[in-house]
Amino acid sequence: MTPTPSAPASEPAAAAGPLGTAEQRARLFAEIWDKTARREAFSPVKNQRLALDVRVGMEAFAPELLAAKTDVELFYALVKISNARKDRHLKVRPVDGGLVVPGWNERAEAPLRFAVDYGQREYSLFVADLDESFFAGAAQVPRRGDQVVAVDGRPLAEYVAGVEPYYPYSTRENFWWHVAAQLGVRSGQLPPERFGARVTYELRAGDGSTYEVTLPWLPPEQLRWAGPKRPEYPGMTLRSRPRPTNCSGRRTGARRCCCAGWASGALWWPTSSA
């Protein structure tokens, strides 16, 4: 149910703190929903595919909006409410003179990059590239193709479920694409408390054994990547505009699959029919 303000609209502004009162934020939520209901171009197909009820999804995060006590808490509550609409085109960003979100414009990266294995019903992530100079002489060096088991002690499924509300997306495939792209990045995509001074990945090697690597966050300009920023899928080439939103492909043996971005026009296509 939509939060209902318990205070009268004439509540003195002086009684509100820097973020307003809970009652004022309840009215804010009601206004957001009202404008969403009147202006949003709802997609029955998308709602069915994602089992989405936009109003229920937005209302799930309303208590966080009402309980917010800091700029960061209020900002990310608004992010979640907006993202509940499941529309990649909609984003919430800080504005000059508005909520202060420390680290929003800062970016650091771990010396690993990741990509999505779309080849199974349950998607997974794997190491797509690494800064080989960083790992020179290391006792344990990740290999391309090693699968992600956990992030900072959280099993991958739990980690993905925890970050999902912070991503705007219109398809499941697009969501996983961006999770992979951001898994080795510290940025304002997630709240500051989601990041430690270092990040630990548990990985599974090709022989089935698992191991952990704990890595620092580094300035992007210090990293030297062996491959391109965009993941490459063996046996497939990218055609048209390079922004896939709807993908289907295997990490290996992908020649019989294609990856198409219907909204953006991007297309992964087999390089041969073998």
Side-chain angles (χ1 to χ4, degrees):
M1 180 179 295
T2 302
T4 303
S6 58
S10 60
E11 179 181 6
L19 303 182
T21 65
E23 290 77 14
Q24 289 170 333
R25 292 195 295 278
R27 288 196 290 271
L28 171 62
F29 178 86
E31 181 178 356
I32 292 172
W33 166 249
D34 177 66
K35 290 182 176 179
T36 298
R38 287 189 287 113
R39 301 179 183 180
E40 182 79 359
F42 295 108
S43 167
V45 174
K46 179 179 68 176
N47 293 353
Q48 181 180 19
R49 288 177 60 87
L50 297 176
L52 175 63
D53 184 317
V54 173
R55 180 163 184 165
V56 170
M58 293 175 66
E59 289 179 346
F61 301 110
E64 295 183 29
L65 180 71
L66 272 60
K69 292 181 171 56
T70 67
D71 282 21
V72 170
E73 290 176 353
L74 180 56
F75 175 78
Y76 284 101
L78 290 169
V79 166
K80 291 180 177 181
I81 289 169
S82 176
N83 291 347
R85 295 176 288 180
K86 299 294 183 283
D87 188 336
R88 177 66 186 166
H89 304 91
L90 306 176
K91 295 183 180 180
V92 177
R93 298 184 178 91
V95 298
D96 292 340
L99 298 174
V100 177
V101 184
W104 175 259
N105 291 318
E106 298 175 5
R107 181 184 176 94
E109 298 181 19
L112 288 180
R113 281 178 173 167
F114 303 90
V116 188
D117 184 350
Y118 292 105
Q120 305 297 325
R121 182 179 180 84
E122 295 298 326
Y123 298 158
S124 61
L125 305 178
F126 62 94
V127 176
D129 199 4
L130 67 155
D131 182 340
E132 295 176 351
S133 63
F134 176 88
F135 289 99
Q140 182 71 63
V141 180
R143 296 174 61 89
R144 292 172 183 82
D146 287 358
Q147 293 184 312
V148 179
V149 176
V151 182
D152 285 332
R154 299 183 184 92
L156 180 61
E158 179 183 325
Y159 172 84
V160 171
V163 302
E164 186 273 341
Y166 299 101
Y167 283 83
Y169 65 92
S170 302
T171 67
R172 178 171 170 254
E173 292 80 7
N174 180 261
F175 165 62
W176 276 84
W177 179 276
H178 288 283
V179 169
Q182 294 295 317
L183 190 61
V185 177
R186 184 182 68 191
S187 71
Q189 179 77 53
L190 302 176
E193 65 268 18
R194 300 282 310 191
F195 300 101
R198 300 169 73 84
V199 59
T200 298
Y201 303 105
E202 182 180 352
L203 305 173
R204 178 178 293 112
D207 63 4
S209 64
T210 59
Y211 62 95
E212 289 187 350
V213 289
T214 298
L215 305 172
W217 296 112
L218 302 171
E221 61 271 16
Q222 290 186 11
L223 296 169
R224 300 293 180 265
W225 303 104
K229 183 175 182 179
R230 181 173 297 278
E232 293 183 333
Y233 290 85
M236 304 181 76
T237 56
L238 183 66
R239 298 180 182 177
S240 190
R241 287 162 44 188
R243 187 180 166 190
T245 57
N246 231 342
C247 300
S248 177
R250 296 181 186 276
R251 180 163 49 95
T252 58
R255 295 186 179 181
R256 301 182 187 277
C257 304
C258 70
C259 174
W262 304 111
S264 64
L267 184 66
W268 283 100
W269 200 256
T271 54
S272 74
S273 59

